[in-house]
Amino acid sequence: MKPTQNRFRRIAHNTFYLGLSETVARFSTLILIAFLGRHWAVSLYGQYAVAINWVAIFAVAAELGLNALTVREVSYRKTKAVFFLRHVLVLRSSLSFLFWGTLIGISLALHYETILTMAMGVLGLRLILDSMEGGYLYLFQAHQEMGPYAMVNILCAAIRLIGIILVVAAGAQIIGACSIWVVASGVGFIVMMTLGYRRGWKPSFSEYRLDDSWKVLKMAFPLAAFGALQTLYYRVDSVILKSLSGNESVAYYDMATRVLLYVLSMSQLYSQAVFPVFSSVQDKPGDFSRFAFKCSKFLFFLGLPLMVGGYFLANSLLVLIAGPQYASSGPAFAILALSILPFFLANIYVDILAIKNTARLNFQFIFLFLLNVILNFIFIPRWQFVGAAWATVICEYLGVFAGFLLAAPYLKHMGKVSWGRPLTASLASCLIMGIGLYYAPHLYWLVLGPIVYAIGLVAFRALDSEDWASLKSILRISN
């Protein structure tokens, strides 16, 4: 079997494991927000969303870029696994304590409500536990073993879902819900550490050297800046909404973004699966470029119909999931759905620049973060949370254009590739599906839409011979 087909089979298997776990996790999140949407006042859910978003910002900042660095280096040289595990554990756990205190200080400085400050303090304990779990998770990613991570992800999602429903039903509300997040993180760390030890990944702290940590930190810093900037870019909307428009606006916007994240996670899972492969062929310009093209084409095929479907089904989806009191989130979700396609494609230029030129990647997200902040301060006073959605969409389209321009120097060896037929076939297939959605925007299109779109792709011959060969290798179909 050709190396390219082997790669795509491996990617497909890893994406399946990740996809299965994330589908379960995201589905449990949908159930959870449906429960909270019906049991909490909108303003209370808004406070919960503010706490979640602040902790998410610091969680990525606490990674210090060590995730991408460890995956990149260990996938290239497997013998470095224990070395990076040791330094990831020391560096991340040390900084997580500092960030936990900073999180509480920010809530006091911004004069948040007492209950919100307490919630951020409790939820912030996740930073410490997740920092230790991450050391083992990175090694599984680098070895392209996504099964153990998938198992732990499902376990933690089940703990969060069942635990939060129980404590909220018992009347504990926001503090109780945040406590369950911490319990789930603790269980995840213990299980991942146990699985890592069975594979011989023991940190051997007796061999720890401070100088080595500084070297690792210097290597990770460019990636750390990227991770922090990327998270700020995607999370700053809710933080600004809290200050300019209040808890209810945060709740309506967060509910729309939570549902959208279920869709966006598909491309993120695919990106996680292909990143080690990108890293393994980084010294082969031809393979690297052609692989980027194939991945981009796949994400285009996948993202386009999801964007169209999300736009037309926005109101129905939000009411179905969160309940009638979140019908106001529908317009925001419809606008945010327009960002699905550029978001999907952006994962490819991010992977390329994370390997080839982190300085360009940091520049890209500094630009996007600043633009997003400016647009939010302009749009939110006029259109509240709907304005925040428009800011995101504008940034995504400008971002994907600028991102591939920055990545272009590393895609020069692609050879002859054709976007004409796949692009035309995908657009035509999506147009047929979109006409049906326009005249009958009902939820049965969640099942009918993919069928109509897939038939269109086949009828318009969107897939070339190499695509079919890769598909057969994934499914283990012999010629």
Side-chain angles (χ1 to χ4, degrees):
M1 185 176 293
K2 293 180 180 180
T4 300
Q5 294 175 13
N6 275 324
R7 290 191 199 109
F8 275 97
R9 180 195 289 183
R10 187 164 60 250
I11 291 167
H13 290 171
N14 285 329
T15 303
F16 171 76
Y17 289 129
L18 290 172
L20 176 64
S21 70
E22 282 297 318
T23 297
V24 173
R26 296 293 181 184
F27 185 67
S28 70
T29 299
L30 290 179
I31 297 174
L32 186 57
I33 63 176
F35 173 81
L36 295 178
R38 290 167 172 80
H39 285 75
W40 280 354
V42 173
S43 59
L44 182 60
Y45 180 81
Q47 291 176 317
Y48 175 72
V50 171
I52 292 288
N53 280 290
W54 267 118
V55 172
I57 290 172
F58 278 94
V60 173
E63 284 189 352
L64 295 170
L66 292 168
N67 184 356
L69 176 67
T70 302
V71 173
R72 186 182 73 186
E73 296 299 318
V74 176
S75 64
Y76 196 56
R77 291 185 293 272
K78 298 294 192 298
T79 56
K80 302 291 288 184
V82 172
F83 173 84
F84 276 97
L85 172 65
R86 179 165 56 249
H87 293 286
V88 166
L89 291 176
V90 171
L91 290 168
R92 283 205 58 186
S93 60
S94 299
L95 195 64
S96 63
F97 281 99
L98 174 63
F99 280 177
W100 177 59
T102 303
L103 190 66
I104 297 173
I106 286 175
S107 67
L108 295 173
L110 294 176
H111 305 292
Y112 284 168
E113 306 90 326
T114 301
I115 189 70
L116 178 54
T117 298
M118 293 174 63
M120 289 171 64
V122 171
L123 191 62
L125 294 172
R126 283 187 58 212
L127 298 173
I128 301 166
L129 295 168
D130 288 350
S131 70
M132 294 184 287
E133 179 188 353
Y136 297 93
L137 171 60
Y138 305 161
L139 296 187
F140 281 109
Q141 286 181 290
H143 285 77
Q144 300 180 44
E145 295 181 37
M146 306 306 184
Y149 165 71
M151 179 191 71
V152 172
N153 199 25
I154 292 173
L155 174 63
C156 293
I159 292 172
R160 288 194 297 269
L161 175 62
I162 297 170
I164 291 177
I165 288 177
L166 290 176
V167 298
V168 170
Q173 294 191 343
I174 222 178
I175 302 299
C178 291
S179 299
I180 297 300
W181 278 87
V182 178
V183 171
S185 292
V187 172
F189 162 59
I190 292 171
V191 175
M192 290 299 289
M193 180 179 66
T194 302
L195 294 175
Y197 265 63
R198 289 179 179 177
R199 284 163 174 76
W201 298 336
K202 301 177 182 180
S204 302
F205 289 115
S206 61
E207 299 178 21
Y208 175 78
R209 300 291 182 271
L210 182 61
D211 288 346
D212 289 336
S213 276
W214 280 115
K215 291 177 183 177
V216 170
L217 195 58
K218 288 177 182 178
M219 293 171 64
F221 180 76
L223 296 168
F226 151 66
L229 289 166
Q230 186 184 41
T231 303
L232 279 170
Y233 164 57
Y234 286 118
R235 298 280 184 170
V236 73
D237 311 61
S238 295
V239 174
I240 296 175
L241 271 170
K242 165 66 176 174
S243 299
L244 296 183
S245 197
N247 291 324
E248 289 194 359
S249 285
V250 175
Y252 289 132
Y253 185 74
D254 188 81
M255 191 62 72
T257 56
R258 291 288 164 188
V259 177
L260 185 70
L261 284 172
Y262 187 82
V263 179
L264 299 182
S265 64
M266 298 179 190
S267 67
Q268 293 172 313
L269 294 175
Y270 186 75
S271 177
Q272 289 178 34
V274 303
F275 184 76
V277 182
F278 267 121
S279 183
S280 67
V281 297
Q282 60 182 289
D283 295 331
K284 301 175 182 178
D287 288 349
F288 188 88
S289 299
R290 286 189 292 274
F291 185 64
F293 169 72
K294 286 292 183 183
C295 293
S296 299
K297 187 166 69 170
F298 173 79
L299 289 177
F300 186 90
F301 284 163
L302 185 61
L304 184 61
L306 291 172
M307 180 178 70
V308 173
Y311 179 81
F312 284 110
L313 298 177
N315 288 335
S316 300
L317 280 172
L318 263 296
V319 172
L320 173 69
I321 294 169
Q325 68 174 332
Y326 283 94
S328 297
S329 294
F333 183 83
I335 295 166
L336 286 169
L338 299 176
S339 69
I340 291 175
L341 180 59
F343 182 94
F344 271 43
L345 294 174
N347 284 279
I348 302 304
Y349 82 70
V350 167
D351 280 353
I352 292 170
L353 293 178
I355 292 170
K356 293 293 189 178
N357 194 322
T358 53
R360 290 189 175 207
L361 191 59
N362 288 330
F363 172 80
Q364 167 78 345
F365 277 94
I366 288 173
F367 163 71
L368 290 177
F369 168 65
L370 293 176
L371 178 62
N372 197 25
V373 169
I374 292 169
L375 292 178
N376 271 288
F377 274 106
I378 294 173
F379 293 166
I380 289 175
R382 298 182 182 182
W383 304 303
Q384 297 188 349
F385 58 92
V386 175
W390 275 117
T392 296
V393 171
I394 292 171
C395 287
E396 284 298 310
Y397 278 94
L398 289 175
V400 76
F401 176 75
F404 276 102
L405 280 180
L406 293 173
Y410 313 107
L411 302 174
K412 291 180 178 180
H413 303 276
M414 196 173 295
K416 279 191 174 183
V417 296
S418 175
W419 268 102
R421 179 176 290 278
L423 179 63
T424 303
S426 183
L427 289 171
S429 303
C430 208
L431 177 62
I432 295 171
M433 186 190 75
I435 291 172
L437 279 163
Y438 177 78
Y439 286 104
H442 303 298
L443 290 175
Y444 58 71
W445 279 98
L446 293 175
V447 176
L448 182 60
I451 296 173
V452 172
Y453 181 70
I455 292 173
L457 289 181
V458 174
F460 295 122
R461 298 168 59 194
L463 303 180
D464 58 28
S465 58
E466 189 175 348
D467 294 326
W468 284 112
S470 296
L471 183 60
K472 287 179 181 180
S473 72
I474 291 168
L475 300 175
R476 294 189 175 180
I477 299 174
S478 60
N479 292 320

